[in-house]
Amino acid sequence: MANKLDVRLGEPTLVPPAEETKKGLYFLSNLDQNIARQVRTVYFYKSACRGNEDAAQVIKDSLSKILVHYYPMAGRLAISSEGKLIVDCTEEGVVFVEAEANCVIEDLGDMTKPDLETVGKLVYDIPGATNTLEIPPLLIQVTKFKCGGFVLGVNVNHCMDDGLSAMQFVNAWGETARGLDLSISPVLDRTILRARNPPKIEFPHHEFDEIEDVSNTRKLFDEEILYKSFCFDPDKLELLKKKATEDGVVKKCSTFEALTAFVWRARTKALRMHPNQQTKLLFAVDGRSRFVPPIPKGYFGNATVLSNALCKVGELLNNPLSFTVGLIGKAIDMVTDSYMRSAIDYFEVKRARPSLAATLVITTWTRIPFNTADFGWGKPLLFGPVTLPEKEVILFLSQSEERKGINVLLGLSASAMKRFETLMEI
């Protein structure tokens, strides 16, 4: 039924801040620079006691008010004299589109395994945009369904916020829609994460290392990519943690460490990499509490740093799970204030992008409280991203409102996916 979704879009309008705000150029830190890509998400709402007649108007009016506090979102991206991304705070406004669907929300089917082509119709994109600068930082679509429910589609450039900042913004927007004061005041000054002068690169930053692809894994990805989701319920996650610690090499491990170790090994095996192939794992670590002094509460921007673990394939697969968990634990512990400042300075000097040959990137959405965004229709029934992971990426997504289980979503060639599926049975 999902492929029958027909969405009629209204004319896009611009929603500027409700009051005059600060104009001029707004600094983006080096942690904002390397991730300037669109992040599309959807929030599904349906209330037993409130229809959707005024949903678009309520969301539009409250957006205008919240933009007074988060005014860079109403600006436009530009390139600074240093050749870096910057926001020109023009008060032009956020792109806003009202839409109507020809069905009820239930017709979309199982939204824990959404058809992304269908759900993609619920998020607005600028037609014909060829680069980041042609897309405003934030685009909003409100789609009303025949059942009285509606979907809020959010399309934001990642350079504006990381997951926690994005949720801070959406929750504040929801508070504004319900007539409440903001529970968290935004801290917009990103110069607290400015590079040092002169820059000091004090650590090796292997995330940028070019790895020779001796296994010719690129060839595997020339085949058609299949996407599959694997469900790890709480019992399965506990079993993984038990397996990781049973030989006593690591005394305790988190769910993230156990699951990441398990899927890194399984994907490496499924891709049949050469034993002498160097392989790399990348994942983001939240730096908010790790900076000295800690980042102030309410900081709006990207405050995560990429960490990495490197290992030969033979070593990864011939050692027990505890070995891989140990590598991941070290990669997390490595992220100190000095390391993060060094990473910021590294980008200042090198302007490099992380290399992704023979690399797995873990992106986790499980710790971000997306189910708290309430605009007056209660908490969302469902929330999810509307983008399939790149071929180097595995996504960890929350399974349900309780957020206890984790769905693992990835894309592999048909032959590699068959092997990966077998390895998921524990």
Side-chain angles (χ1 to χ4, degrees):
M1 255 198 262
N3 58 6
K4 288 184 183 171
L5 174 67
D6 185 37
V7 174
R8 192 162 50 84
L9 293 175
E11 275 299 307
T13 58
L14 289 173
V15 179
E19 299 166 23
E20 198 174 327
T21 58
K22 198 172 174 183
K23 291 195 178 69
L25 297 177
Y26 175 74
F27 173 82
L28 296 178
S29 85
N30 286 351
L31 298 184
D32 302 313
Q33 297 294 328
N34 248 343
I35 44 178
R37 61 177 183 274
Q38 299 306 121
V39 179
R40 299 168 181 84
T41 49
V42 281
Y43 302 76
F44 287 75
Y45 293 96
K46 191 175 174 184
S47 166
C49 50
R50 187 174 184 181
N52 62 13
E53 301 79 19
D54 62 343
Q57 198 58 50
V58 167
I59 285 174
K60 190 176 188 177
D61 291 347
S62 53
L63 175 61
S64 181
K65 289 174 187 166
I66 198 60
L67 288 173
V68 174
H69 302 277
Y70 289 85
Y71 63 86
M73 288 293 226
R76 293 295 179 264
L77 291 168
I79 300 293
S80 73
S81 56
E82 297 178 320
K84 289 199 228 170
L85 274 176
I86 198 162
V87 181
D88 187 3
C89 295
T90 57
E91 293 185 323
E92 275 176 76
V94 168
V95 176
F96 188 90
V97 179
E98 290 183 47
E100 285 189 17
N102 64 336
C103 60
V104 298
I105 284 177
E106 289 73 17
D107 285 344
L108 297 177
D110 180 5
M111 288 309 299
T112 58
K113 291 176 181 170
D115 170 54
L116 293 183
E117 196 181 328
T118 298
V119 183
K121 295 175 184 176
L122 305 173
V123 180
Y124 187 69
D125 280 298
I126 297 290
T130 55
N131 67 56
T132 294
L133 301 183
E134 292 174 11
I135 305 169
L138 181 62
L139 310 155
I140 298 298
Q141 179 176 323
V142 176
T143 307
K144 296 179 189 178
F145 282 76
K146 291 192 178 300
C147 55
F150 68 93
V151 173
L152 172 64
V154 178
N155 187 352
V156 66
N157 194 305
H158 204 328
C159 71
M160 299 305 292
D161 51 26
D162 58 16
L164 288 173
S165 282
M167 254 353 276
Q168 178 184 308
F169 171 74
V170 174
N171 283 337
W173 181 9
E175 287 169 343
T176 304
R178 287 179 287 139
L180 304 174
D181 292 334
L182 300 193
S183 54
I184 299 172
S185 295
V187 175
L188 297 181
D189 181 13
R190 302 190 189 196
T191 61
I192 57 172
L193 296 182
R194 196 188 279 284
R196 293 169 290 196
N197 189 11
K200 283 195 291 187
I201 301 169
E202 300 169 294
F203 292 85
H205 290 282
H206 295 302
E207 60 270 35
F208 300 101
D209 286 1
E210 280 289 348
I211 293 177
E212 192 188 348
D213 186 14
V214 295
S215 309
N216 200 10
T217 50
R218 280 196 181 91
K219 188 171 181 293
L220 267 175
F221 288 109
D222 289 342
E223 296 176 38
E224 191 192 350
I225 302 290
L226 285 182
Y227 289 92
K228 288 214 169 166
S229 182
F230 299 87
C231 166
F232 285 78
D233 61 28
D235 292 343
K236 208 168 176 180
L237 293 170
E238 273 309 310
L239 182 61
L240 267 186
K241 285 160 80 172
K242 198 176 165 192
K243 272 180 181 286
T245 53
E246 64 190 0
D247 61 5
V249 174
V250 287
K251 297 289 176 276
K252 62 183 173 86
C253 81
S254 67
T255 298
F256 173 80
E257 288 167 338
L259 186 56
T260 298
F262 182 68
V263 298
W264 186 17
R265 286 159 56 95
R267 181 180 176 277
T268 303
K269 209 170 195 172
L271 288 172
R272 291 188 167 159
M273 288 188 187
H274 191 280
N276 285 330
Q277 171 74 60
Q278 181 87 298
T279 176
K280 180 167 57 177
L281 174 74
L282 295 178
F283 57 89
V285 176
D286 182 20
R288 282 167 175 77
S289 61
R290 292 169 182 259
F291 279 104
V292 181
I295 295 285
K297 188 183 178 187
Y299 179 78
F300 183 65
N302 289 279
T304 55
V305 176
L306 268 187
S307 190
N308 66 86
L310 286 172
C311 188
K312 286 267 175 78
V313 167
E315 215 181 347
L316 188 72
L317 300 182
N318 295 331
N319 277 297
L321 185 63
S322 58
F323 170 80
T324 314
V325 167
L327 288 179
I328 295 162
K330 283 189 190 111
I332 294 169
D333 294 342
M334 174 170 85
V335 182
T336 59
D337 177 72
S338 308
Y339 182 85
M340 294 186 290
R341 300 276 176 199
S342 176
I344 289 167
D345 291 358
Y346 186 96
F347 182 84
E348 191 70 16
V349 174
K350 311 273 190 186
R351 301 288 172 94
R353 286 183 176 276
S355 167
L356 297 178
T359 296
L360 168 62
V361 182
I362 298 287
T363 300
T364 179
W365 292 57
T366 56
R367 293 179 183 170
I368 302 165
F370 287 104
N371 61 341
T372 53
D374 182 355
F375 291 84
W377 283 263
K379 291 179 179 179
L381 305 172
L382 280 165
F383 158 82
V386 187
T387 316
L388 284 167
E390 304 278 324
K391 64 181 188 296
E392 302 89 3
V393 176
I394 291 183
L395 270 183
F396 290 176
L397 300 167
S398 297
Q399 212 176 338
S400 63
E401 197 184 329
E402 292 74 47
R403 292 169 52 236
K404 298 285 187 282
I406 295 175
N407 282 332
V408 170
L409 176 64
L410 79 160
L412 288 170
S413 66
S415 53
M417 185 61 85
K418 205 170 183 179
R419 293 190 287 271
F420 188 85
E421 275 186 272
T422 310
L423 294 164
M424 286 298 98
E425 293 161 15
I426 53 167

